[in-house]
C-alpha cells in the first residue's frame, strides 16, 4: 500500500505565515503538521509515500528527505492547483494499481490506521459535526455502507463529514472517474473534487464503508491551529522536550520548548510551543505558537501565532505575524 499526501495548497487562510512556509510545515506541539501525519502512517506500517507538491514544494521535499531518509518517497508536481481530484490524478503513474491511503496534508485524524489498512473494503473516514455545509458529506445506510457523498452541500442530508482520510482498494476505478470528471469539466465549487470521483465510484458499484475517527483536527486556520496545538500538547506532553531551569522563569505546562532557546524573566504557558533557538525575555506567553530563531522582549502574548525570525518588542495582546518580521510596539 502507498500513502498519498497532497501538500500543494498555498494555505491562504494562514497568511502571512504561508508566504514563506508551506502550511504542512507550520510547527504544532513541537512537531509539524506533516510529521504528525507521516509518523502515524509509518507506525501503521506504510513505507512508501507519494507527496503532491506545488507551492514551496522544494521545502516539503527537503524536509521529508532529511527527516525520513529510510522511506521510499515520490514527489509529484501540481503546477496548477485545481482541487484535490486533480492532485490525486497526477499520482496515477506512480501508484499504478496499488491500494492507496490518502490523507490530506492539512488535517490530523486520530484512529487505528492499522485497522484501516487491513480492512477488507475501501473506507472513508467520517466524523459527526454540527454544521457539515463546509465539508464533504457522507450518507450511510443501516449496514454502515456509504450510499452517497456530496461536497459542501447547502442542504446536507447527513451530519457525517469526510475528514480527509480515504482508503482506496479500487484505484483503477478511482483514476478513471477522476479522469472522466476532468475531461467532462465536472467541477464543484470551481475545483475538481475527489468527492465527486468517489460518488462516481459509488455509482459504478464500488463499496465504501464509513470509518468513524476518534478525533479530527483542522489545521487550516489560525484559531483552529491554536486549539489543535493545545490539544496535542496535552496528548504529547510525555514526549515533549524536558523543560530546562530557565532563569527567573515560570513554566506552566503543557509547553514544548525547542533546543537552544534562551528564556529568562518570563512566564511561559499553558499551551505554548516554541521553536528552536528562540529568545524570550521579560515576557508572558500563553496559548501561542512561536517559531524558531525569534526574539520576544517585554511582550504579553496570548492566542498568537508568530513565525520564525520574528523580532517583537513592546506590549501586545494577539498577533498573527509571518516569518522574517520585525515589530516594535514600544
Amino acid at each position: 500500500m502507498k500513502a498519498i499526501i497532497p501538500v500543494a495548497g498555498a494555505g491562504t487562510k494562514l497568511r502571512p505565515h504561508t508566504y514563506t512556509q508551506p502550511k504542512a510545515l507550520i510547527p504544532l506541539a513541537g512537531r509539524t503538521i506533516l510529521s504528525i501525519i507521516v509518523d502515524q502512517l509509518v507506525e501503521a506500517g506504510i513505507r512508501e509515500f507519494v507527496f503532491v507538491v506545488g507551492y514551496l514544494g522544494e521545502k516539503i521535499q527537503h524536509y521529508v528527505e532529511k527527516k525520513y531518509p529510510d522511506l521510499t518517497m515520490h514527489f509529484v508536481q501540481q503546477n496548477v492547483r485545481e482541487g484535490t481530484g486533480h492532485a490525486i490524478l497526477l499520482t496515477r503513474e506512480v501508484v499504478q494499481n496499488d491500494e492507496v491511503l490518502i490523507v490530506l496534508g492539512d488535517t490530523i485524524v486520530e484512529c487505528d490506521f492499522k485497522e484501516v489498512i487491513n480492512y477488507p473494503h475501501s473506507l472513508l473516514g467520517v466524523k459527526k459535526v454540527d454544521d457539515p455545509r463546509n465539508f464533504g458529506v457522507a450518507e450511510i445506510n443501516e449496514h454502515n455502507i456509504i450510499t452517497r457523498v456530496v461536497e459542501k452541500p447547502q442542504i446536507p442530508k447527513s451530519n457525517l463529514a469526510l475528514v480527509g482520510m480515504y482508503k482506496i482498494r479500487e484505484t483503477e476505478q478511482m483514476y478513471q472517474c477522476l479522469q472522466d470528471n476532468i475531461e467532462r469539466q465536472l467541477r464543484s465549487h470551481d475545483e475538481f473534487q475527489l468527492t465527486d470521483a468517489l460518488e462516481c465510484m459509488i455509482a459504478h458499484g464500488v463499496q465504501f464503508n464509513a470509518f468513524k475517527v476518534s478525533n479530527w483536527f483542522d489545521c487550516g486556520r489560525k484559531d483552529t491551529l491554536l486549539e489543535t496545538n493545545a490539544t496535542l500538547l496535552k496528548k504529547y506532553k510525555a514526549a515533549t522536550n524536558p523543560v530546562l531551569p530557565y532563569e527567573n522563569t515560570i513554566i506552566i505546562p503543557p509547553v514544548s520548548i525547542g533546543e537552544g532557546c534562551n528564556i529568562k524573566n518570563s512566564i511561559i504557558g499553558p499551551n505554548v510551543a516554541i521553536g528552536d533557538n528562540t529568545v524570550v525575555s521579560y515576557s508572558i506567553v500563553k496559548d501561542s505558537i512561536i517559531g524558531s530563531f525569534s526574539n520576544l522582549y517585554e511582550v504579553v502574548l496570548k492566542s498568537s501565532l508568530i513565525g520564525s525570525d520574528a523580532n517583537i518588542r513592546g506590549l501586545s495582546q494577539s498577533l498573527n505575524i509571518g516569518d522574517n518580521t520585525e515589530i516594535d510596539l514600544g
Side-chain angles (χ1 to χ4, degrees), residues 29 232-233 236-243 255-257:
L232 294 184
L233 278 171
Y236 299 143
K237 60 183 178 180
T240 54
N241 296 333
V243 175
V255 300
S256 172
I257 299 175

Side-chain angles (χ1 to χ4, degrees), residues 186-203:
L186 179 62
R187 297 173 184 262
S188 296
H189 307 281
D190 298 323
E191 292 185 333
F192 297 114
Q193 303 287 351
L194 177 58
T195 307
D196 292 331
L198 300 175
E199 175 62 20
C200 167
M201 294 172 69
I202 293 171

Side-chain angles (χ1 to χ4, degrees), residues 20 59 292-294 307-311 321-327:
T20 56
K59 289 192 173 185
S292 300
F293 296 96
S294 292
S308 298
D309 298 303
N311 289 280
I321 298 169
D323 295 358
N324 299 297
T325 302
E326 181 168 352
I327 292 181

Side-chain angles (χ1 to χ4, degrees), residues 9-12 14 18 21-26 33-34 60 105-106 219-220:
T12 55
L14 282 173
T18 47
Q21 185 83 305
K23 177 168 57 175
L25 297 187
I26 286 179
I33 298 170
L34 184 58
I60 295 281
D106 60 354
C219 303

Side-chain angles (χ1 to χ4, degrees), residues 3-166:
I4 301 175
I5 304 181
V7 283
T12 55
K13 294 178 181 177
L14 282 173
R15 298 294 197 207
H17 304 275
T18 47
Y19 282 124
T20 56
Q21 185 83 305
K23 177 168 57 175
L25 297 187
I26 286 179
L28 189 65
R31 303 161 77 180
T32 66
I33 298 170
L34 184 58
S35 71
I36 294 173
I37 296 171
V38 173
D39 288 345
Q40 288 176 317
L41 301 183
V42 169
E43 185 178 350
I46 295 180
R47 307 297 297 175
E48 189 167 0
F49 288 76
V50 184
F51 298 94
V52 183
V53 298
Y55 179 74
L56 299 175
E58 69 283 354
K59 289 192 173 185
I60 295 281
Q61 183 167 348
H62 175 75
Y63 176 82
V64 295
E65 287 179 341
K66 181 179 179 180
K67 186 171 179 63
Y68 303 100
D70 297 330
L71 297 180
T72 301
M73 302 179 194
H74 310 272
F75 298 91
V76 177
Q77 189 75 26
Q78 186 185 25
N79 294 318
V80 180
R81 295 185 297 275
E82 295 195 88
T84 53
H86 177 254
I88 300 303
L89 182 60
L90 295 174
T91 68
R92 190 174 197 171
E93 290 186 10
V94 175
V95 171
Q96 302 288 322
N97 292 326
D98 292 342
E99 294 184 15
V100 295
L101 182 61
I102 303 169
V103 181
L104 301 187
D106 60 354
T107 300
I108 296 171
V109 297
E110 291 184 343
C111 66
D112 187 339
F113 279 102
K114 289 184 179 179
E115 181 181 350
V116 170
I117 292 170
N118 294 323
Y119 198 80
H121 300 292
S122 292
L123 289 174
L124 304 183
V126 298
K127 188 169 180 60
K128 288 183 179 180
V129 296
D130 294 332
D131 185 358
R133 290 176 297 176
N134 291 323
F135 307 100
V137 173
E139 301 173 18
I140 66 174
N141 64 19
E142 65 275 13
H143 303 294
N144 201 45
I145 295 174
I146 295 175
T147 58
R148 185 170 181 249
V149 290
V150 186
E151 183 67 22
K152 297 179 182 177
Q154 287 301 305
I155 305 177
K157 295 184 179 180
S158 164
N159 63 349
L160 288 177
L162 298 174
V163 301
M165 186 274 288
Y166 318 85

Side-chain angles (χ1 to χ4, degrees), residues 183-254:
E183 288 177 352
R184 294 188 295 120
Q185 290 294 301
L186 179 62
R187 297 173 184 262
S188 296
H189 307 281
D190 298 323
E191 292 185 333
F192 297 114
Q193 303 287 351
L194 177 58
T195 307
D196 292 331
L198 300 175
E199 175 62 20
C200 167
M201 294 172 69
I202 293 171
H204 285 83
V206 175
Q207 177 177 323
F208 287 99
N209 285 76
F211 188 89
K212 296 179 181 179
V213 302
S214 53
N215 282 304
W216 173 30
F217 304 108
D218 178 10
C219 303
R221 300 185 308 275
K222 175 197 169 188
D223 54 346
T224 56
L225 187 68
L226 292 174
E227 291 173 6
T228 299
N229 182 64
T231 301
L232 294 184
L233 278 171
K234 295 180 179 69
K235 177 179 175 62
Y236 299 143
K237 60 183 178 180
T240 54
N241 296 333
V243 175
L244 300 176
Y246 299 104
E247 179 185 344
N248 196 29
T249 292
I250 297 174
I251 303 294
I252 306 173

